[in-house]
Amino acid sequence: MGAWELLLVGVVMLLGLCGVLVPGVPGSWLVWAGTAWWALQDPRGLAWGVLVGATVVLLLSQAVRWQLPPRRLRESGATRRMAVFAGGGALLGFCVVPVLGALPGFVGGLYVAERVRLGGHGEAVTAVRTALRAGGWSVFVELFACLLIVGAWVGAEIWGG
């Protein structure tokens, strides 16, 4: 697979990661489609292993999301800024402390967005709790699954030879 095709796969996966944070966009399926496209073009067994793993991770994340309360983020007062900060925090945390840093990054991003919006610590903590109860955990589960898949893809490309 050439550099341009890898770049396009990366763009599709990045759009999928962003799509997780936007209601109505099938972000996780865009990430899976990018992985499938890459695996179909790459003859190595590692690519197929990543695709099978991505499929399992996405199906598990969907099963977990069905057990969580439905998304009602807009009704709870969630804003686009919150989504951007939470997603950015999760991505930053995922990169700084591999894999495990996504959760504190996500919650930290929510907190920073609410602290900027509301001004006080107590109000921000209350708003973060409300957002997480209103569907934030569902968003985190889907985002975390997509981050795992993209991380596996990057790892396979860098170290898979």
Side-chain angles (χ1 to χ4, degrees):
M1 184 172 248
W4 286 107
E5 289 175 314
L6 283 176
L7 180 65
L8 287 174
V9 168
V11 167
V12 169
M13 289 184 172
L14 183 62
L15 288 173
L17 284 173
C18 294
V20 168
L21 303 172
V22 178
V25 177
S28 56
W29 298 112
L30 280 172
V31 171
W32 184 85
T35 307
W37 178 22
W38 168 72
L40 289 170
Q41 300 297 320
D42 196 333
R44 298 177 297 169
L46 178 62
W48 287 96
V50 170
L51 178 61
V52 168
T55 303
V56 168
V57 166
L58 280 180
L59 291 174
L60 284 174
S61 75
Q62 293 300 315
V64 169
R65 283 185 57 220
W66 288 330
Q67 300 302 316
L68 295 171
R71 290 185 186 183
R72 293 195 177 105
L73 290 171
R74 290 281 175 218
E75 297 163 8
S76 72
T79 62
R80 291 178 198 254
R81 177 186 285 183
M82 278 179 71
V84 169
F85 274 72
L91 179 61
L92 182 66
F94 190 85
C95 293
V96 171
V97 180
V99 180
L100 300 177
L103 178 60
F106 184 81
V107 175
L110 282 175
Y111 175 78
V112 168
E114 289 304 286
R115 182 72 188 249
V116 167
R117 184 174 71 94
L118 298 172
H121 171 72
E123 296 88 2
V125 169
T126 303
V128 167
R129 284 186 189 144
T130 302
L132 289 174
R133 286 186 195 125
W137 289 120
S138 178
V139 172
F140 174 73
V141 166
E142 188 176 359
L143 182 62
F144 186 68
C146 290
L147 285 171
L148 285 175
I149 294 166
V150 171
W153 172 71
V154 168
E157 275 302 315
I158 291 174
W159 295 292

